[in-house]
Amino acid sequence: MSTKQHRGISIRFRLIAGASLVLAFFLIGAAFSLERAFTESSRSNRFAKLQSDVFLLIAATEIDQQGLLVMPSHLQDERFMLPGSGLYASVSNPKMNEEWQSASSIGKRVPYIRKLDPGQWRFKELTDGKQRYLNASCGVHWSEGKASVDLTFSVSEDVSDFQAELRGFRETLWAWLGGTALMLLIAQAALLGWGLAPLARVARELRDIEEGRQSAIEGKYPQELAGLTSGLNDLIEQERARQKRYKDTLADLAHSLKTPLAVLRGALQTPTDLEQTVDEQVQRMDKIVQHQLGRAAASGTATFAPKILLRPILVRITDSLAKVYRERQLSFTIACDPELMVRIDEGDAFETLGNLLDNAGKWAKGQIQVTAAFDSGHLRIEIEDDGPGIADPELVLQRGGRADEHVPGHGIGLTVVADIVAANGGTLTILHSQTLGGALIRLDFPTIRPPSQKLAGQLTRFDRPH
């Protein structure tokens, strides 16, 4: 009986596809980072150029004795004089309610910053609703004789040239990265073909063995495959030995049964001894079969919970309970080393601490405090509240026992907690809190490791609701 084997995706395809995805993500991330860096660098350079234009504009500006602007008819940068050139300037004099704009602004609604405090610089991107501009502006206190005014110099540049520069860089970047990716994929495919060639050769030799053209894997293979080919040869040899053993066993069985069968055939000629003869020969054949079958040989723990960080569990539980008791404005305080660990199943930890903190939330008036620290060779966790406390600890530890029937619950929470704690080698103690005045539940667990640092200063307070 043969078993049909379905072929899966080839290793070569998996490696090429996986490496291609990794390469694609890497190149996309690299391209994004390079483009972002180039964009920021180019923008900074353009703002620096605009700042230089502002300084030139300041150098060309004067005011008269009345504090009015006196601007030259010609500026050093010719683009200020050409309408629609893409570079525009403005000088605002709010005190005298006047503003000068460069000739390049004619017919344009260029956005400017018109009021800044003296000495204040601002570099930002502005828009008029349709077109975007890079703008550099500066506030200056200007004195000329008795005249003293605050002026704002503002230079804006159309982003078209900036965007064209970015597009050119982006096209060049993707062209080079695309070419590099193609070369890497070709090189990768060639390397994978070379690296996987021994596996293909093993497959060919196995087919030859199946078709009887050779008896074992004979080629020389890298050390990584040497154990595999040696193991396959051992399996092939064992399979052949097993088949030979089955053939020999069947032959021996057939030969051994010949005599009892001949005796039975002869017994048919003497019916008087037939019953006794049949009984004797059947027993003999049974022993023969058991003997031949017996020639085939028959072949023939403790678990530990992983170490888990305690603080994230406490934070998650208190976050959830703060939402549950939002209307009561409960305040949760956690004192726990971020690296403190306990050997307990994570589900048990959530069950235990969740039950205890939920009970504290039901009874607390406003404050709940959780402290976790190493004490006398044990990990100690204490949960305190400012509620009425627990008058009868033995009662609440009994299954179904409840301190107050008016508070919702089934009365089995602390019993479950005590069972879980005991199962993990710990102890549970119910005390009276000297700090908050309510109940104090103390859990002691075997030490995972000596404390590496003290818990002083490791307080986190959660005041709810947010």
Side-chain angles (χ1 to χ4, degrees), residues 158-178:
D158 192 330
V159 297
S160 299
D161 292 342
F162 176 60
Q163 291 175 335
E165 181 181 0
L166 294 182
R167 281 195 301 270
F169 174 79
R170 189 179 297 117
E171 292 172 358
T172 303
L173 175 66
W174 281 109
W176 279 98
L177 285 179

Side-chain angles (χ1 to χ4, degrees), residues 61-380:
T61 301
E62 294 183 2
I63 62 173
D64 59 17
Q65 294 299 320
Q66 287 75 36
L68 297 175
L69 291 172
V70 178
M71 301 300 298
S73 59
H74 187 275
L75 294 175
Q76 185 173 352
D77 194 326
E78 296 292 339
R79 290 191 297 168
F80 285 126
M81 312 308 298
L82 182 63
S85 65
L87 184 63
Y88 313 97
S90 165
V91 181
S92 297
N93 187 356
K95 182 177 180 180
M96 305 306 295
N97 196 25
E98 65 171 336
E99 179 184 6
W100 173 89
Q101 293 187 8
S102 62
S104 58
S105 302
I106 296 175
K108 292 279 189 179
R109 297 178 57 187
V110 181
Y112 297 109
I113 295 177
R114 293 179 168 83
K115 185 171 178 57
L116 289 175
D117 294 333
Q120 182 181 4
W121 280 92
R122 184 172 296 176
F123 302 92
K124 64 184 303 184
E125 193 171 300
L126 304 176
T127 180
D128 61 0
K130 296 181 180 180
Q131 181 65 41
R132 290 159 50 214
Y133 299 84
L134 298 177
N135 178 271
S137 300
C138 176
V140 177
H141 180 73
W142 201 284
S143 297
E144 188 73 31
K146 296 182 178 180
S148 178
V149 293
D150 291 337
L151 303 180
T152 299
F153 297 85
S154 184
V155 176
S156 294
E157 181 183 29
D158 192 330
V159 297
S160 299
D161 292 342
F162 176 60
Q163 291 175 335
E165 181 181 0
L166 294 182
R167 281 195 301 270
F169 174 79
R170 189 179 297 117
E171 292 172 358
T172 303
L173 175 66
W174 281 109
W176 279 98
L177 285 179
T180 303
L182 181 60
M183 293 177 61
L184 286 175
L185 287 176
I186 294 173
Q188 178 179 280
L191 287 173
L192 286 176
W194 177 68
L196 296 176
L199 288 176
R201 199 161 74 247
V202 169
R204 286 196 300 270
E205 290 206 56
L206 287 175
R207 284 195 298 269
D208 290 340
I209 293 172
E210 291 176 357
E211 296 172 3
R213 291 194 290 269
Q214 64 185 63
S215 60
I217 297 176
E218 300 170 352
K220 293 183 178 180
Y221 292 91
Q223 61 180 2
E224 291 82 3
L225 294 180
L228 173 64
T229 55
S230 176
L232 288 174
N233 280 334
D234 290 341
L235 287 174
I236 293 170
E237 190 63 31
Q238 291 174 10
E239 177 63 18
R240 286 179 180 152
R242 184 177 63 85
Q243 290 179 357
K244 184 177 183 301
R245 186 170 64 251
Y246 285 168
K247 289 175 63 177
D248 293 342
T249 300
L250 289 174
D252 293 343
L253 180 61
H255 179 75
S256 300
L257 291 177
K258 283 182 180 180
T259 302
L261 289 173
V263 173
L264 287 175
R265 191 178 297 110
L268 294 176
Q269 306 299 324
T270 56
T272 55
D273 299 328
L274 180 61
E275 182 177 352
Q276 180 181 357
T277 302
V278 169
D279 183 61
E280 291 176 354
Q281 297 307 315
V282 167
Q283 291 183 14
R284 181 180 178 184
M285 286 189 291
D286 182 59
K287 291 180 180 178
I288 290 172
V289 171
Q290 290 183 11
H291 171 71
Q292 296 297 341
L293 292 179
R295 293 173 62 184
S299 61
T301 51
T303 59
F304 298 92
K307 302 175 185 177
I308 58 173
L309 290 171
L310 183 61
R311 186 186 184 87
I313 294 176
L314 292 172
V315 172
R316 288 175 61 183
I317 294 173
T318 53
D319 279 343
S320 300
L321 292 177
K323 297 175 183 177
V324 173
Y325 299 109
R326 183 185 299 273
E327 295 181 357
R328 296 175 53 196
Q329 300 286 326
L330 295 182
S331 174
F332 292 87
T333 303
I334 299 176
C336 179
D337 188 330
E339 297 183 359
L340 189 147
M341 304 184 78
V342 60
R343 188 184 294 281
I344 187 174
D345 178 74
E346 187 176 28
D348 288 349
F350 275 104
E351 180 76 15
T352 301
L353 299 173
N355 261 302
L356 295 178
L357 284 167
D358 185 38
N359 283 340
K362 291 175 182 178
W363 293 97
K365 298 176 183 177
Q367 296 184 40
I368 299 171
Q369 179 173 306
V370 184
T371 305
F374 289 98
D375 182 74
S376 302
H378 287 80
L379 173 62
R380 174 163 291 178

